Amino acid sequence: MAMKRESILVIGANGQIGTALLPLLRTQFGQSHVIATDLRQPQSDQGLFELLDATKPDALTDVVRRYRITQIYHLAAVLSAKGESDPIWAWNLNMQTVLNVLEVARLHKVKKVFIPSSIAAFGEHAPKYDTPQMAFLDPATVYGISKVATENWSMYYHKRYGLDVRSLRYPGVISYQSMPGGGTTDYAVSIYHEAVQGHNFECFLSADTLLPMIYMDDALRATLELMDAPEANISVRTSYNLAGMSFTPAELTKAIQVHFPDFVTEYKPDFRQAIADSWPKTIDDSVAQQDWGWKPAFDLPRMTQEMITNLTPVYQPLVSTL
Ligand code: VAH
């Protein structure tokens, strides 16, 4: 019997994860089987796209029914730093969309749902080093509070309705495919953009702020490996801890100086320092390793090479080809 073709809906496709995940999904499932959606038209994307405000349940239902969606990747959320500027707006946007996705997925028998969480779900009373899968969650930000709520709603929909919802607590994700968007870990994206332009960098965190990070290629591979894992292997229905690497702004600066010896970082901590200080420094992802064989492939030197290689042409002055 021919395999039932999947139909994949990506919500928040213009965001940092969505922008990088779309090409992989289109390769895996076929161009015409991946529907990208967001609040605004993307600048350059060619594939199937629909404008969608996922806070509106009827609009979400319409897309899910028209495309006979079998999997949903819900990647739209207000991140940690931006969320602190308007807590009630951030909570409403993050939670209304999650509840709509879970309810529409249940009612329309969507086979699998991915809704990311974050290390921002951990707070003051979780161990800072080797933060375990099971820890007390008292997040310091609205974003973190919304992620803890999301994890518990996802587990509820799995327990009560059997909905196959899967999730990863992403560390700070570093990528070159999109500009930083309001995250506390986004210093580690902006720094590369400045370095390849020959600029120095002003860092909003202190030099010794150790944070869990992951290169986008690893984050995406973890996502697809989790979604491809047999349902019986999934023992965590809140959200899996995921680790890539941990580094400080000082260590990142040194890794960049291997390529740009004159590069300098100045440290001017702002309100985001308190957010970073509330998060873990290193993550224990042994449960993800056991359940579905997770293993990262990028360390700081390899990520730095990738980021510089891919960002240099973005800023290279257009060489006139006479
Ligand atoms: C943020 N990049 O900084 C996100 C992430 C762990 C950090 O959740 O808000």
Side-chain angles (χ1 to χ4, degrees):
M1 184 177 80
M3 185 181 79
K4 181 181 180 313
R5 291 307 296 259
E6 298 288 349
S7 182
I8 315 291
L9 171 62
V10 178
I11 300 170
N14 297 346
Q16 181 189 25
I17 307 291
T19 303
L21 181 61
L22 265 182
L24 297 191
L25 290 173
R26 288 174 170 151
T27 302
Q28 183 173 352
F29 297 103
Q31 285 279 350
S32 60
H33 293 267
V34 179
I35 297 86
T37 66
D38 210 311
L39 290 171
R40 276 173 293 282
Q41 288 287 347
Q43 260 95 26
S44 60
D45 192 59
Q46 284 78 29
L48 269 177
F49 180 89
E50 292 249 355
L51 290 173
L52 171 65
D53 175 352
T55 62
K56 301 196 175 354
D58 295 349
L60 178 58
T61 300
D62 173 55
V63 171
V64 168
R65 289 175 60 178
R66 258 188 303 121
Y67 288 97
R68 294 191 176 79
I69 296 297
T70 60
Q71 293 187 39
I72 298 177
Y73 285 78
H74 177 42
L75 305 175
V78 179
L79 297 181
S80 60
K82 194 158 171 214
E84 293 306 291
S85 65
D86 188 341
I88 302 304
W89 164 73
W91 169 262
N92 287 334
L93 192 151
N94 287 5
M95 294 318 299
Q96 198 49 58
T97 56
V98 163
L99 291 171
N100 287 342
V101 165
L102 292 171
E103 192 60 2
V104 171
R106 167 178 84 86
L107 292 170
H108 296 275
K109 301 196 179 359
V110 171
K111 279 184 349 194
K112 280 186 213 173
V113 178
F114 178 75
I115 308 179
S117 180
S118 163
I119 58 145
F122 295 107
E124 189 187 338
H125 293 96
K128 290 292 181 209
Y129 289 91
D130 296 327
T131 306
Q133 177 64 50
M134 299 305 283
F136 186 75
L137 301 177
D138 52 351
T141 61
V142 174
Y143 171 70
I145 295 167
S146 75
K147 287 304 182 184
V148 172
T150 296
E151 293 188 8
N152 284 303
W153 272 111
S154 298
M155 183 172 65
Y156 179 84
Y157 267 73
H158 178 256
K159 268 199 179 123
R160 175 153 179 185
Y161 304 113
L163 186 63
D164 189 353
V165 202
R166 305 184 186 192
S167 181
L168 295 170
R169 287 170 180 158
Y170 286 140
V173 178
I174 313 300
S175 65
Y176 60 85
Q177 294 91 330
S178 59
M179 292 306 284
T184 301
T185 55
D186 285 337
Y187 87 87
V189 176
S190 309
I191 194 170
Y192 287 108
H193 287 262
E194 296 309 315
V196 299
Q197 296 177 75
H199 304 160
N200 287 333
F201 181 62
E202 189 176 290
C203 184
F204 54 70
L205 298 180
S206 62
D208 60 349
T209 307
L210 183 63
L211 285 172
M213 301 280 194
I214 192 167
Y215 184 52
M216 178 62 85
D217 288 24
D218 270 347
L220 298 179
R221 181 169 53 84
T223 304
L224 296 178
E225 286 177 4
L226 170 67
M227 291 300 272
D228 289 345
E231 193 162 355
N233 293 19
I234 308 296
S235 72
V236 173
R237 288 293 178 173
T238 47
S239 187
Y240 278 95
N241 278 9
L242 182 74
M245 58 189 114
S246 285
F247 54 77
T248 65
E251 290 165 332
L252 177 49
T253 298
K254 268 177 71 182
I256 291 172
Q257 286 166 340
V258 168
H259 302 265
F260 302 102
D262 300 335
F263 175 72
V264 171
T265 297
E266 269 184 277
Y267 299 97
K268 294 193 176 172
D270 68 12
F271 75 96
R272 288 164 284 195
Q273 184 65 49
I275 296 174
D277 291 344
S278 73
W279 288 349
K281 296 180 184 305
T282 65
I283 295 288
D284 168 4
D285 64 356
S286 51
V287 180
Q289 294 171 32
Q290 285 149 28
D291 282 9
W292 43 276
W294 169 243
K295 189 168 170 26
F298 284 82
D299 59 9
L300 182 53
R302 188 177 175 204
M303 174 177 77
T304 299
Q305 179 63 66
E306 282 285 300
M307 286 294 284
I308 291 171
T309 301
N310 286 284
L311 282 176
T312 300
V314 172
Y315 294 100
Q316 200 90 36
L318 290 178
V319 180
S320 58
T321 46
L322 296 175

